[in-house]
C-alpha cells in the first residue's frame, strides 16, 4: 500500500485560475450591506480583535455576520471580529495561524494532522462530525467507473495531505485496491475541476465546498461518499496558540456561538443559504441550492472534542503515517483544548 507515488504534469489555463480567484468576492445588496454595517458597529466596543476568515455568502458565520448575532456574542466578552481573506483550504490557513496573520480557522482533521506534523502553531478546540454525504470521490456520469476497483490504472486528482488524499486512500484500503495502482495527481482544489472536466484525470476526491457544484452542474456523481467508506474526516476548529493562551473567554464565546447557530442551521437550513445575495458567483440556485440545503440539514453542530473524537483523530493520524503521508504518527493530544473548561467571560 505504500509504493512510491507517480505524478503527472497538468497544463491549466490562466483563465481558469483567474476565475477561481475572482469567485471569492462579490457585491452585496444595499440592505445586506446595511446589516453588515450594523453588526460591525455592535462589535466596535470590543478591546480584543479575533481574526476569522470571511465566511462568504452561506453558513452560520455568514448569517452571524449579517444579523449581528456573532458580534453580540463576542461583545459579551469584550471582543470583536475582523474578517481576513476568505475561507478555503486549511493548509494556507495553518500557515497564517503560524505567522500571526489569523487567529482561528476551520479545516479537516486530515489537514490538521498534516499541518501539525510540520509545526504545531495552533490547537484544536472544537469539532464537527464527519460529513457522510457531501464528500467523496467524484466521477463523470459517463465515465464507466462503477466501483472503487475500477480506479486501478486511473488518475485521481487530490489535494496533498488533506481530505481528498485521505478519502482516496481510505476508499482504496477498504476495497483492497493497492494505492500503487492508482495515479495520484496533486493539485490545489480550485484547479481540480478543470482537469476532471477536460478528461486529463478520471476522478476527483473532494469535499462539499466543491462537490456540490460539480454534482449539480457538471454531470458528475459520487463513486463513494465519506459515509460509504467509514470516513473519520472530522471538521475541526483551530486557534492560534498565543491567542488561546491570552483570550480563552473569547475562544469559548466563539465556540458557543458556532454550536448554537449550527444547531439552528440544521433545523432551518434555508435561512443559511444565500445570506447576503441571491445572485453572483457565490450564490446558489436550482439543484446546487437543494444540495447545499440537504448538506446543512444532514450536518452536525460544532461541538467539544470528546475522548471518543480524539480516539478517532488518532486513527486518522495512524492511517496517514501508515500510508507515508506523514513521516510518523502525529501526537494530537497535546494540541487539543477542552473548550468546556476554558475561562468564561
Amino acid at each position: 500500500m505504500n509504493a512510491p507515488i507517480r505524478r503527472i504534469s497538468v497544463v491549466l489555463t490562466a483563465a481558469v485560475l483567474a476565475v477561481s480567484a475572482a469567485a471569492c468576492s462579490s457585491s452585496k445588496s444595499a440592505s445586506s450591506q446595511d446589516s453588515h454595517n450594523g453588526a460591525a458597529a455592535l462589535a466596535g466596543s470590543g478591546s480584543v480583535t479575533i481574526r476569522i476568515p470571511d465566511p462568504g455568502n452561506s453558513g452560520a458565520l455568514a448569517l452571524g455576520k449579517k444579523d449581528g448575532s456573532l458580534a453580540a456574542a463576542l461583545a459579551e466578552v469584550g471582543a470583536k471580529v475582523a474578517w481576513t481573506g476568505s475561507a478555503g483550504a486549511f493548509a494556507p490557513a495553518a500557515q497564517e495561524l503560524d505567522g500571526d496573520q489569523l487567529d482561528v480557522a476551520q479545516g479537516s482533521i486530515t489537514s490538521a494532522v498534516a499541518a501539525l506534523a510540520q509545526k504545531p502553531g495552533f490547537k484544536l478546540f472544537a469539532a464537527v462530525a464527519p460529513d457522510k454525504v457531501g464528500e467523496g470521490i467524484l466521477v463523470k456520469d459517463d465515465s464507466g467507473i462503477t466501483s472503487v476497483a475500477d480506479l486501478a490504472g486511473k488518475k485521481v486528482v487530490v489535494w496533498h495531505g488533506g481530505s481528498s488524499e485521505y478519502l482516496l486512500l481510505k476508499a482504496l484500503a477498504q476495497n483492497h485496491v493497492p494505492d500503487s495502482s492508482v495515479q495520484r495527481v496533486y493539485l490545489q482544489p480550485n484547479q481540480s475541476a478543470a482537469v476532471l472536466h477536460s478528461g486529463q484525470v478520471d476522478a476527483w476526491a473532494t469535499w462539499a465546498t466543491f462537490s456540490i457544484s460539480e454534482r449539480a452542474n457538471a454531470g458528475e456523481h459520487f463513486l463513494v461518499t465519506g459515509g460509504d467508506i467509514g470516513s473519520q474526516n472530522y471538521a475541526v476548529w483551530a486557534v492560534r496558540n498565543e491567542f488561546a493562551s491570552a483570550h480563552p473567554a473569547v475562544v469559548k464565546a466563539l465556540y458557543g456561538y458556532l454550536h448554537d447557530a449550527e444547531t439552528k442551521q440544521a433545523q432551518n437550513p434555508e435561512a443559511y443559504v444565500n445570506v447576503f445575495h441571491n445572485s453572483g458567483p457565490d450564490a446558489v440556485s436550482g439543484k446546487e441550492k437543494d444540495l447545499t440545503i440537504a448538506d446543512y440539514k444532514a450536518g452536525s453542530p460544532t461541538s467539544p472534542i470528546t475522548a471518543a473524537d480524539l480516539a478517532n483523530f488518532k486513527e486518522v493520524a495512524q492511517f496517514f503515517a501508515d500510508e507515508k503521508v506523514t513521516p510518523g504518527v502525529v501526537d494530537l493530544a497535546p494540541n487539543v483544548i477542552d473548550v468546556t473548561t476554558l475561562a468564561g467571560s
Side-chain angles (χ1 to χ4, degrees):
M1 291 291 290
N2 298 317
I5 300 166
R6 293 169 289 163
R7 308 188 187 196
I8 64 171
S9 297
V10 180
V11 178
L12 296 169
T13 64
V16 171
L17 297 180
V19 170
S20 298
C24 60
S25 82
S26 61
S27 61
K28 300 179 178 65
S29 66
S31 61
S32 295
Q33 189 61 54
D34 289 343
S35 297
H36 170 49
N37 290 342
L42 183 57
S45 61
S47 59
V48 176
T49 297
I50 181 169
R51 296 166 295 180
I52 306 174
D54 192 283
N57 194 33
S58 294
L61 281 178
L63 189 59
K65 176 181 178 181
K66 179 180 178 180
D67 67 13
S69 55
L70 174 61
L74 293 175
E76 290 184 4
V77 291
K80 60 183 178 180
V81 65
W83 302 106
T84 61
S86 59
F90 184 69
Q95 294 177 346
E96 292 177 353
L97 290 169
D98 291 342
D100 192 16
Q101 299 172 304
L102 192 62
D103 296 312
V104 295
Q106 187 183 43
S108 64
I109 187 58
T110 47
S111 294
V113 166
L116 288 168
Q118 301 176 47
K119 182 181 179 183
F122 59 86
K123 288 183 170 58
L124 308 178
F125 68 91
V128 181
D131 184 352
K132 304 297 187 182
V133 301
E135 62 180 25
I137 300 175
L138 290 171
V139 295
K140 292 182 178 180
D141 291 345
D142 59 358
S143 68
I145 299 173
T146 61
S147 69
V148 173
D150 291 339
L151 293 177
K154 300 294 195 297
K155 301 169 185 174
V156 182
V157 63
V158 297
W159 172 242
H160 182 63
S163 296
S164 57
E165 189 164 28
Y166 170 80
L167 291 166
L168 173 61
L169 293 173
K170 186 78 171 176
L172 296 178
Q174 187 187 66
N175 288 274
H176 309 290
V177 179
D179 62 28
S180 58
S181 70
V182 177
Q183 190 165 344
R184 277 171 268 175
V185 180
Y186 290 119
L187 287 175
Q188 294 182 12
N190 63 1
Q191 299 171 337
S192 300
V195 298
L196 181 58
H197 298 169
S198 68
Q200 295 179 76
V201 298
D202 304 288
W204 176 17
T206 191
W207 59 96
T209 301
F210 301 96
S211 73
I212 287 175
S213 176
E214 293 297 299
R215 291 154 58 208
N217 305 313
E220 298 162 17
H221 65 274
F222 277 135
L223 177 66
V224 288
T225 65
D228 293 332
I229 61 175
S231 169
Q232 295 293 354
N233 191 32
Y234 288 71
V236 290
W237 275 96
V239 58
R240 184 169 58 87
N241 287 340
E242 293 79 6
F243 191 93
S245 297
H247 309 294
V250 179
V251 178
K252 189 170 187 176
L254 175 62
Y255 160 75
Y257 169 82
L258 290 168
H259 177 81
D260 293 345
E262 289 171 2
T263 298
K264 295 174 183 176
Q265 177 178 286
Q267 297 167 347
N268 182 27
E270 293 89 344
Y272 294 80
V273 178
N274 294 338
V275 170
F276 288 104
H277 40 266
N278 292 306
S279 62
D282 60 348
V284 292
S285 61
K287 184 178 180 181
E288 188 172 358
K289 183 176 181 180
D290 292 341
L291 289 173
T292 301
I293 290 171
D295 191 64
Y296 284 173
K297 189 173 184 179
S300 301
T302 293
S303 299
I305 297 172
T306 66
D309 295 333
L310 184 56
N312 290 330
F313 293 177
K314 290 179 179 178
E315 284 188 18
V316 172
Q318 183 67 59
F319 182 75
F320 262 14
D322 292 343
E323 294 291 339
K324 308 303 183 187
V325 176
T326 56
V329 180
V330 177
D331 185 6
L332 293 167
N335 299 298
V336 170
I337 295 171
D338 183 353
V339 72
T340 65
T341 64
L342 294 179
S345 59

